[in-house]
Amino acid sequence: MNRKTIAAAVVAVVAAGGIAYWSLGSANAPLRGSSVAADSGDKAITIWRDPGCGCCDAYADYLEGNGYAVTRVDDPDFDKRSIEVGVPQQGIGCHLAEIGGYVVSGLVPAEIIDRLVTERPDITGITLPGMPANAPGMAPKKTGTLKTYAFGENGVTVYSEE
């Protein structure tokens, strides 16, 4: 096997493990709270965040201002959970979210999430790594360019650069 084949196999195993973890109904697993939130409409999103993170609250407020129904779940281990559900380690954002069966990591702008759930690409999710100073939740509004990545069975690609 070459490195690319091995990497693809590792991503597939990690994603499958994450799906199995969610399916088992762990009390702290992503998707647990989102099934309730999903009943409120297609703009229902659940965010697992570090309890002390102010930018996550600002980001949730931003999403609510853009028409989302946000469920906030305190989870100091959201970073470990992010990796378990398939977010590449170098792509971890400041919180983990789920919407419409997709994983969203970090301070992804609402219009990018809207596009994700409308287009429904064959990916596990998207991530805006780190805590960019110009991202929603860190700044009053998005300024400049943000690079969002898609990840899934086919690896990591740029999803949006706007």
Side-chain angles (χ1 to χ4, degrees):
M1 288 184 154
N2 64 33
R3 285 184 179 191
K4 200 171 191 176
T5 303
I6 292 170
V10 167
V11 168
V13 167
V14 169
I19 291 167
Y21 181 75
W22 282 352
S23 300
L24 292 174
S26 168
N28 294 316
L31 297 181
R32 178 182 157 267
S34 61
S35 61
V36 173
D39 292 337
S40 66
D42 60 13
K43 288 193 107 174
I45 188 166
T46 300
I47 297 175
W48 290 265
R49 71 202 182 86
D50 186 294
C53 183
C55 74
C56 291
D57 283 329
Y59 180 71
D61 293 344
Y62 157 80
L63 289 177
E64 289 170 340
N66 280 278
Y68 285 85
V70 180
T71 299
R72 303 169 201 213
V73 179
D74 288 344
D75 182 2
D77 293 324
F78 81 91
D79 54 341
K80 293 174 188 151
R81 209 164 311 288
S82 297
I83 293 170
E84 290 171 356
V85 299
V87 179
Q89 186 167 358
Q90 69 276 21
I92 293 176
C94 73
H95 60 264
L96 178 66
E98 189 278 333
I99 183 167
Y102 288 101
V103 173
V104 177
S105 178
L107 304 164
V108 178
E111 62 270 14
I112 305 302
I113 297 172
D114 290 343
R115 188 166 74 223
L116 173 70
V117 296
T118 299
E119 293 177 352
R120 307 233 21 104
D122 187 18
I123 60 175
T124 301
I126 57 176
T127 185
L128 178 60
M131 299 172 70
N134 62 328
M138 295 296 290
K141 65 179 185 174
K142 175 193 164 293
T143 58
T145 301
L146 294 170
K147 190 182 283 190
T148 305
Y149 297 88
F151 57 91
E153 287 185 19
N154 295 323
V156 178
T157 60
V158 174
Y159 184 74
S160 171
E161 189 167 1
E162 50 190 82

